[in-house]
Amino acid sequence: MKRNRVGMSEFGLIDIIKKRYQTMNKDIIAGIGDDAAVFAIDKTRAGLLTIDTLVDNVHFDLSYTSFEDLGHKAMAANLSDIAAMGGRPVLAVVSITIPRDIRLKDIEKLYAGMRKLAKKYGVAICGGDTISGKQLSLTIAVYGEGRKNNIGLRSGAKAGDAILVTGSLGASQAGLDLLISKINPSTTLRARNQNTKLFKKHLRPEPRVKEAQLLASKFKLHGMIDISDGLASELHHLARESRVGILIDQGALPVADEAITAANSLKKDPLEYCLYSGEEYELLFTLPARQAVKAKIILSRAGTPCSIIGQVIKGNGVRMIGRDLKNVKVPDQGYKHF
Ligand code: ADP
Ligand code: MG
């Protein structure tokens, strides 16, 4: 959890903004607190709007992030938020703050990274703002659309639902740790390939846009969120917003193989990677148990592995049944470097 200068957590500040300053009108379906704002366009369609900023030396480090990586990642974070609502991204506007020492070539690379991903998902980059400033920063806002009666909200989880997650978890933080430590656990080809996968997951994450649309076309969506702060943190968001409890099964968690290998060489705990690794951009969602099994099969057949990791229960909080069958609290925290 990020902290600002007055020592307040980011989420504490957002709560105050929401309680005291959020303004609504009759068209707003969901405001502050979900992955994107949702508004009614007409009887059947909903508009979705999300925005995200990356700042040099806060969210990225140019010593191991290329300008193309940066453009890709900023676009991916926004597309992932539209996916987390079950929507289809339509267009993006981009605002950049450019310090003096940045070259035109670098900005072009930044745009090439954004364009490649935008093109893949049919998203237009069609506006923005350019200013000079001391620190490089990149802000992208993405507009998307979904079906008004089938938006995946953080508040949509219901007691009795199963909890699912796409892909595997842990590789983004493991990739970052390896990039920071510059430790190469081994020079064997296999290890190098594994590291490439880890670096790719951290630097060029793939937003689950197609998967979200597939789910929205086949199921009445319940709870849905993307993993930007980490599995544990997003489970807490779902539990709080839906006013339910969550119970997960440690044995069912899809820990990325590469994260296990990296954890061993970095002397870290793979479970910590799985629970707390942020910037994974996987989809975390809930569906009634029978549909969950079907969703898992449909996504797997479409090429995206999907795991059922637990269930939504009455009550509150997030707990996990460990391999030793002990039932423990899952703390509401992001990844801590230790
Ligand atoms: P995500 O990780 O999905 O991008 P965030 O944690 O950044 O979501 O934001 C959580 C919620 O708070 C979102 O609904 C977002 O729109 C809202 N939010 C964040 N910062 C502000 C702000 N400064 N003013 C109003 N709403 C905000
Ligand atoms: Mg999100």
Side-chain angles (χ1 to χ4, degrees):
M1 192 180 295
K2 293 154 251 171
R3 284 180 186 277
N4 61 22
R5 258 191 282 170
V6 286
M8 183 190 286
S9 78
E10 178 194 335
F11 296 129
L13 174 62
I14 293 172
D15 266 352
I16 290 179
I17 295 173
K18 178 173 171 143
K19 280 199 190 100
R20 299 189 193 159
Y21 303 101
Q22 173 167 247
T23 47
M24 302 287 264
N25 63 37
K26 65 175 180 29
D27 296 324
I28 305 301
I29 296 170
I32 296 176
D34 223 302
D35 294 289
V38 188
F39 65 98
I41 299 175
D42 54 27
K43 276 195 179 142
T44 58
R45 290 180 306 154
L48 306 165
L49 191 57
T50 186
I51 187 164
D52 211 54
T53 299
L54 298 180
V55 178
D56 189 13
N57 280 321
V58 179
H59 302 104
F60 60 89
D61 184 329
L62 290 171
S63 65
Y64 54 75
T65 309
S66 74
F67 281 91
E68 270 193 82
D69 292 337
L70 179 57
H72 174 107
K73 197 165 174 174
M75 186 59 74
N78 280 278
L79 300 189
S80 179
D81 275 330
I82 297 295
M85 311 304 292
R88 170 182 71 92
V90 177
L91 67 88
V93 290
V94 178
S95 171
I96 37 175
T97 310
I98 309 175
R100 278 167 186 269
D101 58 342
I102 301 279
R103 297 163 304 178
L104 171 64
K105 208 172 76 188
D106 297 331
I107 300 298
E108 286 197 59
K109 282 187 191 148
L110 187 73
Y111 268 82
M114 285 191 279
R115 183 185 58 188
K116 193 167 174 202
L117 194 63
K119 244 183 148 173
K120 181 169 179 183
Y121 295 110
V123 176
I125 299 176
C126 51
D129 194 22
T130 310
I131 48 170
S132 51
K134 288 205 175 107
Q135 216 172 358
L136 177 68
S137 85
L138 176 62
T139 300
I140 304 183
V142 170
Y143 171 78
E145 287 186 3
R147 286 212 331 266
K148 200 168 139 189
N149 63 2
N150 204 22
I151 299 296
L153 297 172
R154 292 181 181 181
S155 57
K158 294 183 175 53
D161 282 0
I163 303 169
L164 301 96
V165 67
T166 57
S168 59
L169 299 171
S172 181
Q173 183 65 47
L176 176 61
D177 283 350
L178 277 174
L179 283 164
I180 290 172
S181 70
K182 306 264 190 324
I183 292 171
N184 205 333
S186 144
T187 50
T188 64
L189 191 60
R190 192 161 151 262
R192 269 214 304 275
N193 284 341
Q194 281 194 328
N195 284 352
T196 308
K197 273 194 195 160
L198 286 168
F199 297 159
K200 191 163 174 256
K201 180 78 186 180
H202 183 70
L203 297 169
R204 304 248 180 147
E206 194 65 39
R208 297 298 195 180
V209 175
K210 287 184 186 143
E211 293 79 357
Q213 281 166 247
L214 189 55
L215 288 170
S217 71
K218 303 268 185 206
F219 301 96
K220 170 77 185 138
L221 298 174
H222 278 200
M224 188 131 96
I225 188 168
D226 69 323
I227 301 185
S228 54
D229 293 324
L231 175 65
S233 176
E234 316 303 357
L235 286 169
H236 277 276
H237 281 311
L238 277 180
R240 259 194 313 270
E241 295 294 324
S242 299
R243 297 169 191 272
V244 292
I246 282 176
L247 188 61
I248 59 169
D249 166 10
Q250 184 187 345
L253 294 177
V255 190
D257 288 343
E258 306 83 35
I260 296 173
T261 312
N264 289 338
S265 65
L266 292 166
K267 301 199 169 40
K268 304 239 166 149
D269 180 355
L271 178 63
E272 299 249 330
Y273 275 146
C274 180
L275 287 172
Y276 306 118
S277 168
E279 301 184 314
E280 294 278 336
Y281 301 116
E282 296 295 344
L283 285 177
L284 178 66
F285 58 104
T286 81
L287 283 174
R290 277 174 148 204
Q291 289 175 38
V293 176
K294 207 172 150 196
K296 180 181 151 119
I297 296 169
I298 288 174
L299 285 179
S300 302
R301 282 193 189 156
T304 303
C306 180
S307 311
I308 297 176
I309 61 167
Q311 68 183 115
V312 180
I313 54 178
K314 283 187 185 154
N316 54 52
V318 180
R319 302 188 70 89
M320 178 173 76
I321 299 181
R323 291 191 192 281
D324 53 6
L325 295 184
K326 279 196 185 124
N327 180 320
V328 294
K329 256 189 186 169
V330 176
D332 184 5
Q333 65 176 54
Y335 191 82
K336 283 189 186 137
H337 279 275
F338 47 90

